[in-house]
Amino acid sequence: MLNNKLNKNAMIAINLLASLIALVAGIGLNFILAPIIVENLGVEANGFVQLANNFVMFANLITIALNSMAGRFISIAYQRGEFGKAQGYYSTISFANWIITIIILIPFSIITYYLDTILEVPKDILSDVQLLFGFIFINFLILTLLSTWGVATFITNKLYLQSLNTICSQLIRLLLTFGLFVLYEPTLHFIGLAILISTIYVCLMNYIYKIKLTPDLKYKKSKLSFNKFKEVTSSGIWNTIQTAGFLMLTAVDLLVVNLLLGPHAMGVLSIAKLLPTTMLTISGTINSIFIPNFLNLYASNKISELGKEVKQSMKIVGILLMVPLTCIFIFGQDFYRLWVPTEDASLLYYLTSVSILNMIFTSSISPMFNLFTITNKLKFNAILIIVSGFLNIILMILLIKYTDLGIYAVAGLSTIINLIRNLCFIAPYSAKCIGLKWYAFYPKIISFIIPFGVVMILGYLLKNIYHVYNWFDFFIVTVLMSLITFIVNYFIALTKHEKKLFLNFFWGKIIRR
């Protein structure tokens, strides 16, 4: 029993460490490339890069109903020893993805060709933007076509391999982009080309992992099953609705700003959104580490233990997210001043701050969303998010047209909507999904408010003592802020038992009670 706990904790720690390293690599890549793009191609160019990715996110809605639940169904069947059933899910999902890829190719081609009639694009960069969209669309088609190759690391709970894969692909993307920009005149489509080549590398490595980790998981025509397709998509359709709502909250804003306020405002907003998007990425990356363990507990019908694991993961996620959150609030303006010196640092800082205000209260809430997928109770959350998305779009357009708030309205609206939805609906319903009292998760959420306030006070004291003049100064203050945040949370936010669990999680040892 002790060895099993050790192995579980050690694997979670390894997966988390690898994921964080991959995350840092991805974040570092974005922060390196963004000022290069702005300097060489203008702030509008960065907006089009993000907008192309947003178009792909909307296209991904077609595949989410199938692929968002693929890991769950294949993994549960595989871990229960039902290999024939797992192979049926794998084959059916693979075949469906091939069909979807062929179907999506047609609208992608039309959008790329008639891009200037859909968006406001400066004529001097139209062909470049079209090539950018083309490469990013092809990249998405390849990912869809070969998506099932990536389930092996999830099934075997060796997510660190996927993280290593991501790290290498980000390095390839960085070197290719930088090399092309140095050797040739910088263009937007070089960014899309680098993304495409790095994705091909990822897919090849996923295939190798699949062969080594799950050699018995192969595509077989005889295993194709419409019933399995229907079973997966009937559950996943709610993930599609949920993601559509999420995109309405986070991705439609650039399109609305492009059409109502112009390409330059879109470019400014895309820069200001990078830090909030990074926060969401950090949350999602850390959160994904716990899913295989949650699935194992649920598959083994250990519901009580699952509830404890969720609460413990909330503590870990909350503490880790508070580090970048406090750094942004305290030193965000200094960061923008150093990062994009040609842009208005104050404007970018205020837009970013407004966008992440809700995370003060909900930074630890992300593990709850796993419960909807694990228990296959997706409907309630999906409806909530799609309603939130519609409200966001309608109110955003009204505020831009009839007030002087401009892009401030865009940045702040989703923050208010997310805060109300997560605190008033998501927290109680996720507890209900696993048989807990509706208020079960609130103590964990509230427990971060006091330490956050203490950290902010200490952060402002640090800001008044140590002024940031260059990147070295910024590095020093962020390291100090990180240490302060960890120390304050350790002594204020954690109970005695949780301190043991927290240390155990990171050192990979079992501390006997």
Side-chain angles (χ1 to χ4, degrees):
M1 181 68 176
L2 185 63
N3 288 333
N4 289 337
K5 288 183 178 179
L6 177 60
N7 290 336
K8 182 193 77 173
N9 287 336
M11 187 55 67
I12 292 176
I14 291 170
N15 286 337
L16 177 61
L17 179 61
S19 293
L20 289 176
I21 294 173
L23 178 63
V24 169
I27 293 172
L29 174 65
N30 288 330
F31 283 113
I32 291 172
L33 290 180
I36 294 175
I37 295 170
V38 171
E39 182 180 351
N40 288 278
L41 303 172
V43 70
E44 296 89 349
N46 190 75
F48 283 115
V49 173
Q50 185 58 52
L51 192 58
N53 286 316
N54 288 352
F55 267 82
V56 165
M57 290 180 189
F58 281 103
N60 194 41
L61 291 174
I62 301 173
T63 70
I64 286 173
L66 185 67
N67 292 316
S68 64
M69 299 298 285
R72 177 192 185 273
F73 282 95
I74 297 172
S75 181
I76 289 178
Y78 197 89
Q79 290 173 10
R80 288 175 175 173
E82 300 171 345
F83 298 116
K85 189 176 182 180
Q87 203 162 56
Y89 285 123
Y90 177 84
S91 300
T92 301
I93 293 168
S94 296
F95 181 76
N97 277 325
W98 300 339
I99 300 299
I100 290 171
T101 301
I102 296 172
I103 294 172
I104 296 178
L105 178 62
I106 298 172
F108 270 2
S109 301
I110 295 173
I111 291 172
T112 303
Y113 187 79
Y114 293 103
L115 193 63
D116 57 331
T117 63
I118 300 172
L119 300 173
E120 185 178 338
V121 185
K123 291 184 179 181
D124 58 325
I125 60 170
L126 175 60
S127 60
D128 196 17
V129 174
Q130 286 177 312
L131 282 172
L132 168 71
F133 273 69
F135 280 127
I136 290 181
F137 286 167
I138 294 170
N139 178 75
F140 172 74
L141 293 174
I142 291 175
L143 283 173
T144 302
L145 186 70
L146 307 175
S147 64
T148 49
W149 286 358
V151 300
T153 55
F154 181 86
I155 292 172
T156 56
N157 197 17
K158 293 185 177 181
L159 299 177
Y160 65 91
L161 292 176
Q162 197 63 254
S163 299
L164 294 174
N165 198 9
T166 300
I167 294 169
C168 292
S169 71
Q170 299 287 16
L171 182 60
I172 291 171
R173 181 185 165 194
L174 175 62
L175 293 175
L176 278 173
T177 305
F178 186 75
L180 289 170
F181 271 44
V182 170
L183 295 175
Y184 304 96
E185 182 180 352
T187 60
L188 266 177
H189 68 268
F190 284 165
I191 299 166
L193 178 61
I195 291 173
L196 175 60
I197 294 174
S198 66
T199 291
I200 293 172
Y201 166 82
V202 169
C203 292
L204 291 175
M205 291 304 299
N206 281 343
Y207 181 74
I208 293 172
Y209 293 149
K210 189 190 81 68
I211 295 299
K212 291 185 176 180
L213 298 176
T214 55
D216 48 347
L217 200 61
K218 300 177 180 178
Y219 172 80
K220 287 190 176 181
K221 187 177 180 181
S222 60
K223 293 289 185 179
L224 295 178
S225 168
F226 179 76
N227 288 333
K228 285 185 171 57
F229 172 80
K230 184 178 178 181
E231 181 184 7
V232 175
T233 53
S234 62
S235 295
I237 191 64
W238 294 110
N239 274 334
T240 298
I241 295 173
Q242 174 181 307
T243 304
F246 181 76
L247 291 177
M248 290 178 185
L249 287 165
T250 60
V252 173
D253 50 4
L254 288 181
L255 179 60
V256 171
V257 171
N258 174 273
L259 297 175
L260 298 182
L261 298 176
H264 184 268
M266 178 192 68
V268 171
L269 184 62
S270 71
I271 294 292
K273 281 170 61 71
L274 188 53
L275 285 176
T277 301
T278 299
M279 289 293 296
L280 291 175
T281 304
I282 293 172
S283 177
T285 300
I286 299 172
N287 189 37
S288 66
I289 300 304
F290 303 102
I291 297 177
N293 189 42
F294 287 178
L295 265 175
N296 288 339
L297 292 172
Y298 184 75
S300 303
N301 203 31
K302 297 178 181 178
I303 305 302
S304 176
E305 190 174 342
L306 173 60
K308 294 178 181 178
E309 287 288 326
V310 173
K311 291 179 181 179
Q312 291 172 14
S313 66
M314 288 175 66
K315 283 285 187 180
I316 294 170
V317 172
I319 291 174
L320 292 177
L321 284 182
M322 196 181 295
V323 174
L325 190 63
T326 51
C327 287
I328 291 171
F329 277 121
I330 303 297
F331 298 104
Q333 189 165 343
D334 295 311
F335 167 77
Y336 282 121
R337 178 171 49 81
L338 295 171
W339 186 47
V340 279
T342 58
E343 301 299 316
D344 187 340
S346 296
L347 174 62
L348 294 171
Y349 170 70
Y350 291 132
L351 288 172
T352 298
S353 298
V354 169
S355 298
I356 61 173
L357 274 175
N358 66 303
M359 297 192 74
I360 296 174
F361 305 97
T362 61
S363 60
S364 64
I365 210 170
S366 59
M368 298 180 192
F369 290 94
N370 293 331
L371 298 178
F372 304 135
T373 299
I374 290 168
T375 60
N376 201 15
K377 296 178 180 179
L378 304 165
K379 183 177 180 179
F380 180 78
N381 183 52
I383 292 174
L384 273 178
I385 293 184
I386 196 70
V387 170
S388 300
F390 276 117
L391 281 174
N392 184 60
I393 293 175
I394 294 170
L395 293 175
M396 186 193 311
I397 294 173
L398 291 175
L399 287 173
I400 290 176
K401 281 192 170 184
Y402 300 107
T403 72
D404 296 326
L405 291 173
I407 53 178
Y408 283 104
V410 178
L413 196 57
S414 61
T415 294
I416 297 171
I417 293 172
N418 283 330
L419 181 63
I420 295 172
R421 187 191 68 247
N422 289 340
L423 289 182
C424 297
F425 299 100
I426 297 301
Y429 184 72
S430 59
K432 182 182 177 182
C433 284
I434 55 174
L436 299 179
K437 298 290 186 181
W438 66 269
Y439 52 81
F441 293 132
Y442 281 108
K444 297 294 182 184
I445 296 172
I446 296 172
S447 66
F448 285 101
I449 296 177
I450 293 176
F452 180 82
V454 173
V455 170
M456 287 295 290
I457 292 172
L458 294 174
Y460 277 112
L461 289 174
L462 176 63
K463 185 179 178 66
N464 289 326
I465 295 171
Y466 197 112
H467 299 287
V468 176
Y469 298 105
N470 50 51
W471 282 114
F472 178 77
D473 293 335
F474 184 79
F475 173 77
I476 294 297
V477 294
T478 51
V479 170
L480 290 174
M481 275 301 304
S482 300
L483 291 174
I484 291 170
T485 304
F486 274 117
I487 292 171
V488 169
N489 275 284
Y490 183 80
F491 286 104
I492 296 180
L494 300 182
T495 64
K496 184 178 180 180
H497 175 65
E498 287 169 344
K499 289 175 184 176
K500 291 182 179 181
L501 291 172
F502 192 79
L503 290 174
N504 172 46
F505 180 84
F506 283 102
W507 305 125
K509 299 178 180 178
I510 293 296
I511 299 177
R512 297 179 182 275
R513 301 188 183 101

